Amino acid sequence: MASSETHYTLPRAEFDKPVKILIVVAPYYKDIADELIAGAIAEIEAAGGFHEIVEVPGALEVPTAIGIAERMSNFDGYVALGCVIRGETTHYETVCNDSSRGLTLLGLQGLCIGNGILTVENFEQARVRAESTGQNKGGGAAAAALHLVALARRWGGARKGVGFVPAQDEYQIAGASKGKHSA
């Protein structure tokens, strides 16, 4: 059983200026989501950071919300939280794979994301993993996001325009030329 194993965890990330983290949660299983959120908040605050929380309908919407927030706000990092419990259909595989793939693609574009979307067989597995006094997967996801933010700051931060929208100097409107107007 995973709860009896010991794992190495990195020391808490440290910052010379506070970080702002967006927690995006799919609260389909509200009790599980609340525990994940509690763990994430505790970790962010322990690192001297600030947070906001937004809720989305389900795990599939978490990556989309993070992508929108990256384009339209000023967060340093993101924590994705939720829970997917296997049911009787293949919908479980779709939700698990596509939410994870979406978060991975955003991460590869330079976003600092901690993935705390639980993918489990039953409610008891979810409860054990979510408890902030137990496995604390919400806190672990926040710690992952914070470590990535620390790396981004160490290496100079991500360039503006990473993600879905190019930086202003990276595109030109068709038909427009610099300094000239056509009639």
Side-chain angles (χ1 to χ4, degrees):
M1 178 178 219
S3 63
S4 64
E5 297 175 9
T6 58
H7 304 278
Y8 174 75
T9 54
L10 296 173
R12 181 169 285 129
E14 295 181 6
F15 301 93
D16 53 359
K17 70 176 197 169
V19 296
K20 185 176 176 186
I21 303 292
L22 178 64
I23 299 171
V24 180
V25 60
Y28 189 80
Y29 298 101
K30 184 82 167 104
D31 293 346
I32 299 300
D34 289 346
E35 281 291 325
L36 291 168
I37 291 167
I41 289 171
E43 185 63 28
I44 293 164
E45 290 178 351
F50 301 96
H51 69 276
E52 286 185 33
I53 300 172
V54 295
E55 293 182 343
V56 295
L60 288 174
E61 290 76 35
V62 172
T64 302
I66 290 172
I68 292 167
E70 179 66 12
R71 289 192 310 275
M72 305 179 93
S73 65
N74 62 344
F75 293 98
D76 296 302
Y78 305 91
V79 179
L81 299 177
C83 179
V84 184
I85 299 175
R86 186 181 298 278
E88 297 176 359
T89 68
T90 58
H91 185 64
Y92 172 84
E93 281 84 10
T94 299
V95 175
C96 294
N97 293 334
D98 290 354
S99 62
S100 179
R101 183 178 299 111
L103 294 173
T104 298
L105 290 172
L106 290 168
L108 291 172
Q109 292 177 17
L111 281 68
C112 301
I113 304 171
N115 183 353
I117 298 176
L118 304 178
T119 55
V120 296
E121 298 294 321
N122 55 56
F123 188 85
E124 180 59 18
Q125 287 179 351
R127 187 192 60 74
V128 167
R129 285 158 179 77
E131 286 179 334
S132 56
T133 57
Q135 289 188 21
N136 193 18
K137 297 299 184 179
L146 291 165
H147 278 285
L148 292 171
V149 169
L151 285 176
R153 287 185 178 180
R154 175 180 168 187
W155 294 327
R159 68 177 179 86
K160 291 295 178 193
V162 169
F164 300 97
V165 179
Q168 274 191 269
D169 62 345
E170 292 181 329
Y171 66 93
Q172 183 176 0
I173 297 173
S177 59
K178 292 182 180 179
K180 296 181 181 177
H181 298 285
S182 56

